[in-house]
Amino acid sequence: QVQLQESGPGLVKPSQTLSLTCTVSGGSISSGDYYWSWIRQPPGKGLEWIGYIYYSGSTYYNPSLKSRVTISVDTSKNQFSLKLSSVTAADTAVYYCARDPYGDYEGWFDPWGQGTLVTVSS
Amino acid sequence: DIQMTQSPSSLSASVGDRVTITCQASQDISNYLNWYQQKPGKAPKLLIYDASNLETGVPSRFSGSGSGTDFTFTISSLQPEDIATYYCQQYDNLPRTFGQGTKVEIK
């Protein structure tokens, strides 16, 4: 059974870069059957999809964040990572990683990591 | 981007009640619509994919229907453990987008 686990600093200063890693266990990130997504949720608010990566390194970023986002993959470690630059308080959120089937007619998130709260504050 | 509008934003119902949530897409998304349940402090959980397909292990009191722009999520008999926020999500177009959520409470 595939499990995902986010890790990274819980506090980031304004204007700095937020960096998180998602470790995948119970399955290979290189299987080719899935995209690997990042999703965030500000406290008390709804869900926003940040983007995804395929094991080959191809990515798609939400245009609302595209100028500040980089998602990368390390197949040797079975991990993928998120970097969000020039953060402000508006980037304070719980960040989730999730698996997303690869295919034109599939696009759901399952499973999800437990989430990690990142607070942007000086 | 495709906008997803859920209603109501919150509801209160009694145990055993039938609960219905609607989700409207800003354009035709065929049946490319999923539903999630999020309990407080937890990650969302996939309940229904492709508008009406129940994820394995999800109780049969949950169901979904619809196509095009209008979708419905139903809990046939509300249970105390169903207290959560429910989200719809479309995948017809990138970026993937979610509804704003419906919070379900017990009366």
Side-chain angles (χ1 to χ4, degrees), chain B residues 25-95:
Chain B
S26 59
Q27 64 187 67
D28 188 337
I29 60 169
S30 185
N31 66 328
Y32 301 145
L33 189 284
N34 309 313
W35 291 96
Y36 300 85
Q37 175 192 65
Q38 185 178 33
K39 295 185 178 181
K42 299 294 187 181
K45 173 188 174 184
L46 177 68
L47 297 183
I48 291 171
Y49 62 95
D50 287 350
S52 60
N53 293 315
L54 203 62
E55 176 72 342
T56 302
V58 173
S60 59
R61 63 179 180 275
F62 296 103
S63 64
S65 64
S67 67
T69 60
D70 295 305
F71 301 86
T72 300
F73 173 82
T74 301
I75 307 173
S76 60
S77 177
L78 186 67
Q79 300 302 303
E81 61 266 31
D82 300 336
I83 299 314
T85 300
Y86 294 85
Y87 293 93
C88 61
Q89 173 247 322
Q90 68 80 24
Y91 65 94
D92 182 61
N93 277 5
L94 292 173

Side-chain angles (χ1 to χ4, degrees), chain A residues 94-114:
Chain A
V94 175
Y95 286 77
Y96 296 99
C97 56
R99 190 180 69 173
D100 181 350
Y102 177 78
D104 289 340
Y105 305 107
E106 298 173 304
W108 46 85
F109 304 111
D110 180 59
W112 297 57
Q114 66 184 29

